[in-house]
Amino acid sequence: MLNKTVFSLYHRIAFLIRDISLRSAIILAVFLGLIGSAIFLIPYNINSIDATARDKQVDDLQRLGNILAVIQSEPLWQITPEIARISSDVVYSDPRIASIEVFSYPDHKQFLSLSRSATQKGPFTTIARSIHHDEKVIGIVELTMADDLLIAEEHTAFTRYVITAIFSLFIAVVLIIWVLQKRLVEPIKRLLKESERLANGQLTYPIVLNRSDEIGNLAKSMEATRRALGQFFAELEVKNSQLTDYSNTLESKVKLRTSELETALQNINQAHQELTRIERMASLGSMVAGVAHELNTPIGNCLLVASTLEEEVSKFNELFAAGNMRRSELSQFLKCATDSSTLLLRGLNQAAHLVGDFKQVAVDQSSVHRRQFDLHTMLFELTSLLMPGLSKTPYLLVLDIPLGIQLDSFPGPLGQVFTNLINNSVTHGFNDRDHGNMRIAAVVEGDHVNITFTDDGVGIPSEILHRIYEPFFTTRFGRGGSGLGLSITYNIVTNVLGGEIQAVSEPNKGCCFNISIPLITPTMDENTTQSLLNFTVQD
């Protein structure tokens, strides 16, 4: 029953508040806020005033008691009550003092007694202090103070506080009513009229309110709305006219758009084929840059040695032509020629070895030729050409392939697979980290070889692991990822090499690609293999 009554009262109050004006609601809120704060603050202020007054009275009582204990020392010691009475008038003149009593010690006889407690209402507070003379206790003084004046001061302070609060509340309400009327109610009434004109479609007259506060901003917003509506209605008429024109030529436009879409689809397929070819040749391009960088050192050394040898030969010819050559100079020239020949031969052999490795890998990757090859040798040549690029990064590549694994397959596409996997780890797996390790291992099982490529990168989230072989799917589009690397890898392993590839990964635990391919690839001519590499996206 009580809950129903409270619920009904709440709804009545809510209904009344909903129907009152904004000005009345604000005045009511301010009034209730001030009253509510006063209700909470009045007891606090009363307690604060009472505590402060009582602390002061206690301090005064203790201070006066200490004074009495000092000034009564000599009269009590000399047993002169008249002098004690005159000395006590300094303290007894305070109207709050109710009584002063002095007793001798140790017999506790009354030495002095002053009292007017009969004329005071109380309550009373009494303290006692020892009277000393030459560090000996010779008596006790008891001082009693009445709280009459304290209570009267508290009532006066409270009355003053209440009057001040009521006057402040009245002034605040009057000022708020005046400010609301001038700054809020009248401008809002004017804006309501302007809003009614906008609702009726009367967009001719501008809305102007020369104010820089929130109401002024609201007026500016309504003026901007009026202009936007006018512009919108004008544009709508133009659009309706254009729509009428377009509807008359819709069929021809549909045919034109269909033709354009078919052409665009053909261009997309051609672009995809080109991107696939570029992706396969990109690794060859990076190899070219790496080999060029590696060739620069031995060829540069050879050039330096050759220029030095040329200078020595020139000096030798001058000495020989002069006819005054000594045996030591001939020996020095022969030693220089021998050392230079050794250095030239060493540098040229190194360059020839690099060129030979690159020539074989380039032939494999630029064309699709089937041949017999050793897996370790092929991957060693491939990684040797990739090392110049990897040496500029903090990442390590370990090749754990035993010798003697002979394959009759396509080394070019197989090299493309591992080039893509290495690039994928560097670009996506390590994600600009300052360390990273990659490992390629292989083991023969029956008529297949199982090759694993692992890294210790960031891994692949499980929610996208099943999509990594989709064309154009990448998590770094526009930041080094084309979305074709793993798609091409999957196509080569399954369609060209006749094998399988599976990816296993967990976030922050690296990634592992398990590749199983036959030692002897199923019979397939090179044209068919090339056409499989140039796959397109079908709807």
Side-chain angles (χ1 to χ4, degrees):
M1 184 67 181
L2 179 61
N3 292 335
K4 291 183 178 179
T5 304
V6 173
F7 186 75
S8 176
L9 180 61
Y10 170 77
H11 274 279
R12 289 180 181 179
I13 295 174
F15 180 78
L16 292 176
I17 294 176
R18 184 183 60 185
D19 290 341
I20 65 176
S21 63
L22 177 61
R23 177 177 60 182
S24 301
I26 294 177
I27 294 174
L28 180 61
V30 172
F31 180 78
L32 293 178
L34 293 176
I35 292 297
S37 62
I39 291 174
F40 285 103
L41 291 177
I42 285 175
Y44 172 78
N45 288 331
I46 291 175
N47 293 332
S48 178
I49 292 172
D50 181 68
T52 302
R54 291 191 180 277
D55 290 342
K56 181 178 181 302
Q57 181 146 320
V58 170
D59 292 340
D60 291 344
L61 182 61
Q62 292 178 352
R63 178 175 55 82
L64 294 174
N66 293 332
I67 292 174
L68 277 175
V70 173
I71 64 178
Q72 293 295 324
S73 176
E74 285 298 327
L76 182 60
W77 178 257
Q78 297 176 4
I79 314 175
T80 55
E82 292 299 328
I83 296 176
R85 184 181 298 275
I86 294 172
S87 300
S88 299
D89 287 341
V90 176
V91 177
Y92 196 62
S93 62
D94 191 326
R96 297 175 296 175
I97 301 301
S99 65
I100 298 175
E101 294 182 344
V102 180
F103 300 92
S104 61
Y105 183 84
D107 54 1
H108 202 72
K109 292 182 178 181
Q110 191 178 59
F111 176 71
L112 176 66
S113 177
L114 300 175
S115 177
R116 55 170 172 251
S117 58
T119 62
Q120 296 175 332
K121 297 181 180 180
F124 302 97
T125 303
T126 302
I127 64 169
R129 291 288 185 270
S130 299
I131 301 175
H132 297 81
H133 190 273
D134 294 336
E135 298 182 356
K136 294 181 180 180
V137 179
I138 62 174
I140 297 173
V141 58
E142 293 182 355
L143 180 63
T144 303
M145 181 179 286
D147 294 341
D148 300 21
L149 297 178
L150 174 64
I151 295 174
E153 290 178 358
E154 289 181 356
H155 283 298
T156 302
F158 174 72
T159 303
R160 188 185 306 114
Y161 174 78
V162 171
I163 293 173
T164 303
I166 294 174
F167 181 74
S168 300
L169 177 61
F170 176 75
I171 296 298
V173 171
V174 171
L175 289 177
I176 289 172
I177 292 174
W178 183 80
V179 171
L180 287 177
Q181 183 66 28
K182 296 297 182 181
R183 301 292 296 177
L184 184 63
V185 176
E186 292 180 359
I188 287 181
K189 288 182 178 179
R190 181 178 174 185
L191 291 179
L192 285 175
K193 293 180 180 179
E194 298 292 344
S195 177
E196 291 175 358
R197 288 200 299 108
L198 289 180
N200 294 329
Q202 300 175 6
L203 306 177
T204 306
Y205 301 101
I207 302 173
V208 180
L209 191 62
N210 295 323
R211 291 177 56 168
S212 58
D213 56 3
E214 290 79 2
I215 300 297
N217 293 333
L218 178 60
K220 293 178 181 178
S221 177
M222 292 180 64
E223 172 63 16
T225 303
R226 184 192 67 82
R227 294 179 181 179
L229 287 174
Q231 182 178 0
F232 174 76
F233 288 147
E235 293 178 353
L236 186 61
E237 292 179 359
V238 175
K239 296 296 183 182
N240 288 334
S241 176
Q242 293 177 350
L243 184 60
T244 302
D245 295 338
Y246 287 154
S247 61
N248 297 328
T249 58
L250 180 60
E251 184 177 356
S252 60
K253 288 183 179 294
V254 169
K255 291 182 179 179
L256 179 61
R257 295 295 183 268
T258 303
S259 176
E260 292 176 352
L261 289 175
E262 291 176 351
T263 304
L265 182 59
Q266 293 178 359
N267 293 336
I268 290 174
N269 286 331
Q270 293 175 0
H272 185 270
Q273 293 181 5
E274 183 64 17
L275 284 174
T276 303
R277 186 187 66 82
I278 292 173
E279 183 76 15
R280 290 192 293 108
M281 298 301 292
S283 59
L284 184 60
S286 62
M287 290 180 190
V288 172
V291 170
H293 180 269
E294 290 296 314
L295 286 176
N296 186 55
T297 300
I299 292 178
N301 293 337
C302 291
L303 183 60
L304 178 61
V305 171
S307 62
T308 303
L309 181 60
E310 183 182 14
E311 292 178 359
E312 293 296 329
V313 170
S314 178
K315 293 179 182 179
F316 181 78
N317 288 333
E318 292 177 359
L319 293 174
F320 183 77
N324 55 358
M325 181 182 298
R326 291 178 295 181
R327 184 179 183 85
S328 61
E329 293 174 341
L330 178 60
S331 299
Q332 181 180 359
F333 172 75
L334 292 176
K335 182 177 182 304
C336 179
T338 303
D339 293 341
S340 299
S341 300
T342 302
L343 292 175
L344 285 171
L345 185 60
R346 183 185 306 165
L348 292 174
N349 283 333
Q350 184 179 359
H353 178 70
L354 287 172
V355 171
D357 290 345
F358 174 71
K359 182 179 179 181
Q360 182 61 55
V361 174
V363 169
D364 289 338
Q365 297 220 355
S366 61
S367 59
V368 182
H369 293 290
R370 178 171 181 161
R371 63 181 178 89
Q372 294 184 356
F373 59 93
D374 183 80
L375 181 62
H376 177 275
T377 302
M378 189 276 293
L379 290 178
F380 182 78
E381 292 175 352
L382 176 67
T383 54
S384 297
L385 296 177
L386 295 176
M387 279 303 173
L390 290 176
S391 63
K392 300 177 182 178
T393 67
Y395 312 132
L396 299 177
L397 174 62
V398 177
L399 193 64
D400 186 15
I401 305 293
L403 293 171
I405 301 180
Q406 295 293 324
L407 282 82
D408 183 357
S409 186
F410 300 93
L414 183 59
Q416 180 68 37
V417 167
F418 288 98
T419 300
N420 291 348
L421 293 178
I422 293 171
N423 291 335
N424 187 73
S425 293
V426 172
T427 303
H428 302 278
F430 300 136
N431 198 18
D432 299 329
R433 296 197 310 181
D434 58 356
H435 66 282
N437 298 285
M438 296 173 284
R439 182 173 179 269
I440 303 177
V443 61
V444 176
E445 294 184 0
D447 58 351
H448 282 68
V449 57
N450 293 329
I451 310 173
T452 58
F453 176 86
T454 58
D455 65 45
D456 57 358
V458 298
I460 304 174
S462 58
E463 59 269 17
I464 65 171
L465 186 61
H466 64 286
R467 300 187 58 194
I468 60 175
Y469 302 122
E470 295 179 7
F472 300 110
F473 177 77
T474 178
T475 58
R476 292 176 61 90
F477 189 78
R479 295 179 295 162
S482 65
L484 291 174
L486 290 181
S487 176
I488 294 174
T489 298
Y490 179 83
N491 182 65
I492 292 175
V493 172
T494 57
N495 295 331
V496 178
L497 302 179
E500 297 178 351
I501 180 171
Q502 293 181 346
V504 180
S505 179
E506 294 183 12
N508 300 319
K509 292 186 178 181
C511 184
C512 176
F513 287 90
N514 297 312
I515 301 173
S516 177
I517 58 175
L519 297 174
I520 300 177
T521 301
T523 303
M524 186 183 304
D525 57 40
E526 296 174 0
N527 292 331
T528 304
T529 303
Q530 186 67 48
S531 64
L532 287 174
L533 289 175
N534 294 330
F535 67 93
T536 59
V537 179
Q538 300 296 333
D539 293 335

